[in-house]
Amino acid sequence: NIMTKKICNDRKGYDKIFHLCFSFGLGTVLAGVFSFVPFSPWLAALCVLLLTLAVGIGKEIRDSRKPGGHFCVWDLAADFIGALAATPVAYFANYFTE
């Protein structure tokens, strides 16, 4: 089955650390941007989480379309952890600049 060959089974690897750190960094930058938008802090945190995840999902979709590439759910899990870690930064950045 072609779908099972396109799914990643690699739960380890230094690229997972890169995904986590990149997502946290992107989320932190977005937190700074959203601190200037007059949203509620909860909405700013949600926007940072969703936008950061969208970038991670987009990268995995792009990787799956490359020759020999695949969609790695473990990379996406690392992206989610990094994005989730950035949400309190977004909340408090928005809260204290409101």
Side-chain angles (χ1 to χ4, degrees):
N1 185 346
I2 194 149
M3 254 335 251
T4 56
K5 291 180 183 179
K6 297 283 252 179
I7 301 292
C8 178
N9 293 322
D10 177 27
R11 296 180 188 193
K12 300 175 185 171
Y14 288 109
D15 75 314
K16 306 305 180 270
I17 303 288
F18 174 76
H19 279 268
L20 189 146
C21 293
F22 180 81
S23 292
F24 179 74
L26 176 61
T28 303
V29 169
L30 288 173
V33 170
F34 280 105
S35 72
F36 295 107
V37 179
F39 283 162
S40 80
W42 288 108
L43 185 56
L46 181 63
C47 287
V48 164
L49 178 70
L50 294 177
L51 285 172
T52 304
L53 282 178
V55 170
I57 291 168
K59 187 210 177 290
E60 292 307 314
I61 290 171
R62 193 185 75 187
D63 287 351
S64 72
R65 293 183 177 172
K66 289 181 181 176
H70 61 275
F71 188 96
C72 185
V73 294
W74 302 108
D75 285 352
L76 201 54
D79 289 333
F80 176 75
I81 293 168
L84 194 61
T87 57
V89 176
Y91 178 89
F92 288 113
N94 191 281
Y95 181 83
F96 287 113
T97 57
E98 212 173 2

mmCIF file of all heavy atoms in Angstrom, residues 1-7:
data_model
loop_
_atom_site.group_PDB
_atom_site.id
_atom_site.type_symbol
_atom_site.label_atom_id
_atom_site.label_comp_id
_atom_site.label_asym_id
_atom_site.label_seq_id
_atom_site.Cartn_x
_atom_site.Cartn_y
_atom_site.Cartn_z
ATOM 1 N N ASN A 1 0.858 -1.189 0.000
ATOM 2 C CA ASN A 1 0.000 0.000 0.000
ATOM 3 C C ASN A 1 0.895 1.241 0.000
ATOM 4 O O ASN A 1 1.780 1.380 0.832
ATOM 5 C CB ASN A 1 -0.900 -0.045 1.234
ATOM 6 C CG ASN A 1 -1.913 1.084 1.265
ATOM 7 O OD1 ASN A 1 -1.802 2.046 0.520
ATOM 8 N ND2 ASN A 1 -2.889 0.968 2.121
ATOM 9 N N ILE A 2 0.637 2.134 -0.905
ATOM 10 C CA ILE A 2 1.477 3.332 -1.037
ATOM 11 C C ILE A 2 1.329 4.277 0.153
ATOM 12 O O ILE A 2 2.263 4.961 0.534
ATOM 13 C CB ILE A 2 1.202 4.064 -2.363
ATOM 14 C CG1 ILE A 2 2.305 5.086 -2.619
ATOM 15 C CG2 ILE A 2 -0.140 4.748 -2.348
ATOM 16 C CD1 ILE A 2 2.592 5.311 -4.053
ATOM 17 N N MET A 3 0.146 4.313 0.785
ATOM 18 C CA MET A 3 -0.046 5.217 1.916
ATOM 19 C C MET A 3 0.830 4.809 3.102
ATOM 20 O O MET A 3 1.378 5.649 3.787
ATOM 21 C CB MET A 3 -1.508 5.214 2.358
ATOM 22 C CG MET A 3 -2.335 6.441 2.010
ATOM 23 S SD MET A 3 -1.436 7.943 1.765
ATOM 24 C CE MET A 3 -1.903 8.825 3.206
ATOM 25 N N THR A 4 0.949 3.517 3.375
ATOM 26 C CA THR A 4 1.745 3.104 4.521
ATOM 27 C C THR A 4 3.219 3.379 4.305
ATOM 28 O O THR A 4 3.951 3.592 5.256
ATOM 29 C CB THR A 4 1.532 1.609 4.837
ATOM 30 O OG1 THR A 4 1.833 0.857 3.664
ATOM 31 C CG2 THR A 4 0.123 1.341 5.292
ATOM 32 N N LYS A 5 3.658 3.406 3.074
ATOM 33 C CA LYS A 5 5.055 3.720 2.787
ATOM 34 C C LYS A 5 5.333 5.212 2.934
ATOM 35 O O LYS A 5 6.459 5.610 3.095
ATOM 36 C CB LYS A 5 5.415 3.257 1.376
ATOM 37 C CG LYS A 5 5.439 1.763 1.245
ATOM 38 C CD LYS A 5 5.808 1.350 -0.153
ATOM 39 C CE LYS A 5 5.756 -0.166 -0.270
ATOM 40 N NZ LYS A 5 6.075 -0.629 -1.602
ATOM 41 N N LYS A 6 4.300 6.045 2.869
ATOM 42 C CA LYS A 6 4.480 7.483 2.959
ATOM 43 C C LYS A 6 4.366 7.995 4.402
ATOM 44 O O LYS A 6 4.524 9.156 4.650
ATOM 45 C CB LYS A 6 3.442 8.208 2.091
ATOM 46 C CG LYS A 6 3.554 7.911 0.624
ATOM 47 C CD LYS A 6 4.694 8.658 0.026
ATOM 48 C CE LYS A 6 4.208 9.780 -0.841
ATOM 49 N NZ LYS A 6 5.308 10.522 -1.392
ATOM 50 N N ILE A 7 4.061 7.132 5.366
ATOM 51 C CA ILE A 7 3.936 7.543 6.763
ATOM 52 C C ILE A 7 5.238 7.227 7.493
ATOM 53 O O ILE A 7 5.800 6.158 7.340
ATOM 54 C CB ILE A 7 2.747 6.819 7.451
ATOM 55 C CG1 ILE A 7 1.443 7.116 6.731
ATOM 56 C CG2 ILE A 7 2.663 7.186 8.920
ATOM 57 C CD1 ILE A 7 0.956 8.532 6.837
#
